[in-house]
Amino acid sequence: TTPSPSPTRAGMEVDIVANGGSDPHLSLRENPSIHIHEMKSVQLSGISKISGALALLLKAAIQFIMLIWFLCFKIPRPDVFIVQNPPSVPTLAAVKLVSWLRGAKFIVDWHNFGYTLLGLSHGRSHVIVKVYFWFEKHFGRMADGAFCVTKAMQHELAQNWGIKATVLYDHSPEFFRPASLTEKHELFCRLGGSICGAIGSADCISVEKEVEDKNTTVLTGKIDGGVSLKPNRPALVVSSTSWTPDEDFSILLEAALMYDRRVAATLGEEDSMDEGQLWIDIKNGKQFDYPRLLFVITGKGPDRKKYEEQIKRLKLRRVAFRTMWLASEDYPLLLGSADLGVSLHTSSSGLDLPMKVVDMFGCGLPVCAASFSCIEELVKVNRNGLLFSTSSELADELMMLFKGFPEECVTLKSLKDGALSTGSSSKWSAEWGTNALPLVNQVIG
C-alpha cells in the first residue's frame, strides 16, 4: 500500500488500505490504477470510559484482525507493502505477518515515531508508551527497507534503531498550485456563508457583506466578466490543524490579539474608540497602513470547540477567525488564494516536518512556522518563510509582513517568490522517481 499516485507512472497497480474519513482528491478516486479499500474505524467509547488500557488493547486486536483480512483476502498479492508509520500498533506487526504469508516485501515509510505521539497524553515514562516503543522499534527493524522524511530522522534511525533509511522528502502533488483570479472568486463565492458568518458576535468581516451578490465577495469583485481583488480586502491567513496537543493554537490567538492592539496603538486609536464606526469606514473603502486579518483555520480534531469558545471571548477590531472543513478539491484552492500560511506544528519527536507547509509551498504561499529542531530542512528563513518561538514574535512578523498591504509589502512579496520557487522546484512525482523508486526496485529485486 502507498498514499501516492506516483507509482502508477512506473507501471504499477496501487492498492490503498486505510481507515475511512474524508474523500480523497478526485485525481486519486478517478485513477484507474489506484484501488482504494476503506476499513471502518474502530470505536470503543463505552469501554474506554471503564478502562482506557482495556479499550486500547481491544482496539488493537480488532484492527489487527481487520488488517489481516483486508491484506490477505481483499487485495491481490502485491510485490511490496509500503506502510506509513505512525500508527505503529498493530499495523507494523500485521503487515510483517502478511508479507511473510504472501511472499511480498515490506517497506516502512517513517513520518514520525508513534511512541512520541502517545507520550503527549501519557508521558514518556508510562508503561504503555514503553511497550509501544519496543513494539515500534522491534517490528520497524524487521522491514526490508525504509523511507523517512528528514535527515535528522535518518540519523536517529541509523544511530539508535539500527535502521538504514532513505530520505524521501514530502512534496506536494501537482494540484497544489497558485489559484487564478477566477478560481479565487468562485471559491470565495462557494465559501461565502462560512466566511461571512462570525464565530460569536459580529466582527470586521461579517459586517461587510449583508446582501447576497454573486459578483462580489469579501475579497474579490466581478465587473463585466472580469475578476479583481479588492484594494481594501483583508489579508487572508491560512492554517490547518488537527486540533491536538502537539499544536499550541493559543499562540496564534495571542499573536492575533497582539496584532490587533499594536495596530490600534500605531494608528493612535483610543481603546474607547467605537469599533462599529471603524467597520463602517472599512466597508466604505477606507484603507489603512495595516489591513484586517482573516484567519481561516481548516481541520478536524478534539480541541476545536475549546478554541472556538476562546475565539468568541476575544475583543478584536481588525482580526477575524473562521474554522472550517473543506473538500479535498477546495483545500488546494484556499492555499493558492491566501496571502500567508501559519504552521503551529512542533513535532512530538522533533524529527518530522509538517506536510501542511509542503502543500503551502506548492501553492506559492510563504509561511510563518513554529520553530523546532529540524524545521529549517524545510523553511528557509527570509527565503520562503519565517520562524517564531513565541506569540509576540509571530505578532511582530505579522506587523512587518503586512504593513502597506496589499501593494507595498516588499518582504511578503519576496517570501512569496521564494515559496513559489521552492514549490515548483520539485513535485512529488519527481521525488518519487528519484529517491523512492530505486529503493522499491532494489527491495523487490
Side-chain angles (χ1 to χ4, degrees):
T1 58
T2 174
S4 167
S6 300
T8 62
R9 300 183 182 183
M12 298 180 182
E13 292 289 316
V14 179
D15 289 278
I16 299 176
V17 177
N19 279 337
S22 55
D23 288 334
H25 193 274
L26 193 64
S27 63
L28 282 172
R29 301 199 305 268
E30 293 187 346
N31 191 311
S33 295
I34 298 175
H35 317 282
I36 299 175
H37 308 268
E38 184 177 311
M39 298 193 305
K40 289 185 178 180
S41 297
V42 179
Q43 302 293 338
L44 298 173
S45 55
I47 297 175
S48 62
K49 292 177 182 178
I50 302 171
S51 171
L54 178 60
L56 285 173
L57 288 172
L58 280 176
K59 184 175 182 178
I62 294 170
Q63 288 177 327
F64 183 84
I65 295 168
M66 290 174 62
L67 277 168
I68 297 296
W69 171 255
F70 270 83
L71 300 180
C72 280
F73 303 107
K74 301 284 280 187
I75 66 171
R77 189 194 76 84
D79 295 302
V80 60
F81 289 100
I82 301 179
V83 184
Q84 181 174 298
N85 183 81
S88 316
V89 178
T91 316
L92 296 182
V95 177
K96 177 58 186 175
L97 174 60
V98 173
S99 67
W100 174 73
L101 290 172
R102 305 199 71 179
K105 298 298 183 180
F106 169 33
I107 295 175
V108 178
D109 183 13
W110 295 90
H111 279 241
N112 201 351
F113 297 127
Y115 81 94
T116 64
L117 290 169
L118 192 62
L120 292 175
S121 55
H122 291 80
R124 290 284 183 94
S125 60
H126 196 285
V127 63
I128 292 178
V129 177
K130 291 181 177 179
V131 170
Y132 199 107
F133 170 70
W134 175 88
F135 184 100
E136 188 170 21
K137 184 175 182 178
H138 177 75
F139 286 99
R141 293 173 67 175
M142 296 176 74
D144 300 297
F147 300 123
C148 63
V149 292
T150 64
K151 293 177 181 177
M153 185 177 289
Q154 182 189 45
H155 181 266
E156 169 68 15
L157 286 168
Q159 291 294 108
N160 298 319
W161 295 56
I163 295 173
K164 182 182 178 182
T166 297
V167 176
L168 182 65
Y169 283 117
D170 281 321
H171 287 278
S172 59
E174 282 75 3
F175 50 78
F176 281 91
R177 55 174 178 74
S180 67
L181 279 174
T182 300
E183 288 174 326
K184 292 179 182 180
H185 183 72
E186 291 174 350
L187 174 68
F188 297 141
C189 284
R190 287 197 299 276
L191 301 180
S194 299
I195 288 177
C196 293
I199 299 176
S201 56
D203 57 33
C204 62
I205 301 298
S206 65
V207 297
E208 183 175 340
K209 193 169 181 344
E210 298 171 351
V211 180
E212 190 68 28
D213 182 358
K214 290 291 179 66
N215 290 319
T216 182
T217 71
V218 172
L219 297 103
T220 59
K222 188 174 184 180
I223 301 175
D224 298 328
V227 177
S228 61
L229 294 169
K230 291 182 175 180
N232 72 326
R233 68 187 182 275
L236 179 58
V237 185
V238 175
S239 183
S240 62
T241 178
S242 54
W243 302 101
T244 50
D246 63 338
E247 294 185 339
D248 186 0
F249 194 73
S250 63
I251 290 177
L252 183 57
L253 297 188
E254 291 168 5
L257 187 62
M258 290 178 187
Y259 174 89
D260 200 63
R261 300 294 183 263
R262 291 177 187 178
V263 169
T266 302
L267 298 179
E269 297 174 356
E270 299 290 336
D271 290 342
S272 59
M273 176 184 176
D274 179 19
E275 60 190 22
Q277 183 58 51
L278 171 65
W279 294 344
I280 290 172
D281 291 342
I282 292 172
K283 186 176 179 180
N284 291 334
K286 185 175 181 179
Q287 288 186 258
F288 297 86
D289 287 341
Y290 294 92
R292 295 166 291 161
L293 298 186
L294 172 57
F295 287 93
V296 175
I297 316 299
T298 69
K300 297 177 181 178
D303 288 342
R304 175 173 168 175
K305 291 294 183 184
K306 180 183 81 172
Y307 283 114
E308 285 178 341
E309 289 301 317
Q310 292 183 24
I311 290 170
K312 289 178 183 179
R313 293 193 293 270
L314 295 176
K315 300 293 184 180
L316 300 169
R317 294 177 181 174
R318 285 183 167 82
V319 178
F321 282 89
R322 300 293 183 265
T323 59
M324 60 184 72
W325 175 257
L326 297 176
S328 55
E329 288 77 27
D330 281 343
Y331 179 62
L333 291 174
L334 178 66
L335 296 186
S337 303
D339 300 296
L340 181 70
V342 173
S343 170
L344 300 168
H345 177 88
T346 52
S347 175
S348 61
S349 65
L351 299 172
D352 72 311
L353 295 173
M355 185 65 204
K356 70 191 79 177
V357 174
V358 175
D359 293 338
M360 290 171 181
F361 287 161
C363 293
L365 183 63
V367 174
C368 289
S371 181
F372 62 94
S373 57
C374 67
I375 187 64
E376 291 188 55
E377 288 192 40
L378 178 60
V379 178
K380 310 299 181 184
V381 176
N382 294 324
R383 189 189 308 172
N384 56 22
L386 300 171
L387 300 177
F388 61 87
S389 298
T390 65
S391 54
S392 182
E393 288 179 5
L394 177 56
D396 288 342
E397 291 170 1
L398 295 173
M399 292 282 290
M400 183 266 292
L401 291 173
F402 286 118
K403 184 179 181 180
F405 182 86
E407 298 300 331
E408 298 177 12
C409 35
V410 177
T411 304
L412 182 64
K413 290 179 179 178
S414 173
L415 293 179
K416 194 172 185 68
D417 291 340
L420 193 58
S421 175
T422 300
S424 60
S425 62
S426 181
K427 289 293 184 180
W428 176 237
S429 55
E431 180 75 6
W432 171 270
T434 302
N435 295 312
L437 192 57
L439 177 62
V440 172
N441 287 333
Q442 176 187 330
V443 166
I444 293 173

